[in-house]
Every structure is written in structure tokens, then in C-alpha cells.
Amino acid sequence: QITLNESGPTLVKPTQTVTLTCLFSGFSLSSDEVGVGWIRQPPGKALEWLALIYWDDDKVYSPSLKNRLTIAKATSQNQIVLIMTNMEPVDTATYYCVYRRALLFGEGDVGFDPWGQGILVTVSS
Amino acid sequence: QSALTQPASVSGSPGQSITISCTESSSDVDDYDYVSWYQQHPGKAPKLIIYHVTNRPSGVSIRFSGSKSGNTASLTISGLQAEDEADYYCSSFTTTSHWVFGGGTKLTV
């Protein structure tokens, strides 16, 4: 069974940098074509994909946020982190850690399954 | 502005079928073959219910089905049940290896 659990500060001040951690179990991020990423959701609003890191350490970022994001893995600890700089009130959201399984032959994408329970990060002075 | 457009809300009665559309409006969403759908109940994390346009993950009810025509993907829920009341999001994998989400659709049963 795959599980993901997000942790980090729940209240940050504007202009601060936040580091969120995703601790996962049930798979290895060393396995071919596996990926783990982050998606956020402001209160009452839609989902927004942020970043994903692949088993081979390749990283992809949302074009609109790439200058503020860093995603990294610590394979031996079954963790990944997301660092987001210059936090502003509009970044207030629930941040979800998500798993993307390895692709089978002929598959181009398989979505994200499962998701962590999410962590609400509030940006306020 | 999302590259994927969904209706803000749809409604249906128990036992009926409903369809939620997801129209792409960006050239980044090439071929539109990699559409996924997620169900989100209030206060819960989203759950994958359809991937690769038509595929259901293990454990997802056969009442959920996906399709695509041109630049519009659709999620159909047949035999509506009260538990289907939730928000639904479409998502697509783009030609630049990113993901985009639609604005979400609130389903009222």
C-alpha cells in the first residue's frame, strides 16, 4: 500500500521561504519511471500542479512558478522536499504530495494516485 | 487562466446519468490523449477516477467512464448516487511534460 504524508510549517510570513516534506512508503523512488510531485489548492479554488521529480532525478516545474520552486529527493529516507521562496498570501493553499506510477508500454501518462492528505499552509503576517 | 475549461456546476437526480466536459484551449495540450479525472469530496484529497482518457484505476466504479471527441474530453457518471456529489477535476499532461488542471465542476445530486 502506497502512502504519502506531508509535513511542514502551517503558518508562514510573507516573503519567507517554506520547505515542505513528503514522507512516503510502499514504493521506492529508485524504481524506473516512478515520480513524486506536488499539487496545491487554495481554499475554495481549483487544483494547481507545481512540480514533479522522477526516479532519475529529472525535475519538472510549473512554468509560472519555476523561479520560486525547488524539488529534491532524499532516496534513502523515502522523502522528497519542496522549497518555495518568497511566499505571499496568494500562496495560501493545501499542498498535496502525489505519486505517479511507472508507465506501462503504450501509456503516455497515468495521472496521480494516490495523494497525501495535504497540509494547509497559510501565509499571513 | 486554465488551459482546460469545465462547467462550474452540473446536477442530476439519483439514478440519472450526467456528463462533465473538459475542453482544451491551448496548443500545449497536444492530441489530448493524456486526460485524467479526479473526484474530490469536501475536506478530502482528490482521488483518481479516470486516466488516459478512458481507463479506470482498480477499485473505481464502472459507473464512471471517460471519452474524448476532438478537443473535448468528457466524464460520464451513470446511475447517479448521493455519494457521487463532489467536485470533479480534469487534468492533462502537456507536450512540455507538465500537467494542467481544469477549473473544477461541482456535481450536485
Side-chain angles (χ1 to χ4, degrees):
Chain A
Q1 179 188 4
I2 292 172
T3 63
L4 309 107
N5 286 285
E6 305 89 347
S7 62
T10 57
L11 179 63
V12 299
K13 290 181 167 45
T15 75
Q16 285 188 336
T17 294
V18 69
T19 299
L20 300 177
T21 300
C22 175
L23 180 64
F24 56 83
S25 64
F27 69 95
S28 171
L29 195 43
S30 299
S31 301
D32 284 359
E33 301 204 31
V34 164
V36 181
W38 292 91
I39 293 168
R40 72 178 179 179
Q41 184 175 36
K45 296 188 177 180
L47 301 167
E48 180 183 18
W49 173 77
L50 300 177
L52 186 130
I53 187 165
Y54 290 98
W55 85 104
D56 60 357
D57 210 37
D58 189 21
K59 307 171 181 81
V60 286
Y61 296 100
S62 165
S64 62
L65 292 168
K66 65 178 301 182
N67 292 334
R68 299 175 53 205
L69 296 174
T70 301
I71 191 170
K73 60 185 173 87
T75 307
S76 60
Q77 288 91 0
N78 280 2
Q79 292 182 82
I80 67 163
V81 295
L82 181 74
I83 302 168
M84 190 167 187
T85 62
N86 193 26
M87 294 290 283
E88 295 297 336
V90 295
D91 296 312
T92 293
T94 297
Y95 288 75
Y96 294 101
C97 182
V98 296
Y99 171 73
R100 200 200 83 162
R101 67 166 172 83
L103 302 179
L104 302 177
F105 181 78
E107 292 181 329
D109 183 55
V110 291
F112 303 109
D113 180 34
W115 296 47
Q117 83 282 358
I119 180 170
L120 176 60
V121 179
T122 301
V123 184
S124 175
S125 55
Chain B
Q1 184 176 356
S2 175
L4 302 178
T5 301
Q6 301 179 233
S9 63
V10 299
S11 64
S13 300
Q16 288 185 333
S17 295
I18 63 94
T19 297
I20 300 172
S21 62
C22 174
T23 301
E24 66 90 2
S25 57
S26 168
S27 59
D28 283 346
V29 184
D30 189 34
D31 291 336
Y32 211 37
D33 281 335
Y34 306 134
V35 175
S36 299
W37 289 91
Y38 299 87
Q39 176 192 60
Q40 185 180 33
H41 288 108
K44 301 294 187 182
K47 172 190 173 184
L48 179 69
I49 55 174
I50 295 287
Y51 67 93
H52 224 297
V53 180
T54 61
N55 294 280
R56 274 187 310 275
S58 174
V60 173
S61 172
I62 61 172
R63 298 187 299 105
F64 294 92
S65 62
S67 62
K68 182 191 73 166
S69 178
N71 68 339
T72 297
S74 298
L75 171 71
T76 297
I77 309 174
S78 59
L80 270 179
Q81 300 178 1
E83 67 203 50
D84 299 330
E85 186 161 294
D87 293 327
Y88 292 84
Y89 293 91
C90 62
S91 173
S92 185
F93 185 59
T94 74
T95 55
T96 48
S97 299
H98 301 139
W99 286 267
V100 292
F101 282 91
T105 298
K106 181 178 180 60
L107 169 62
T108 301
V109 179

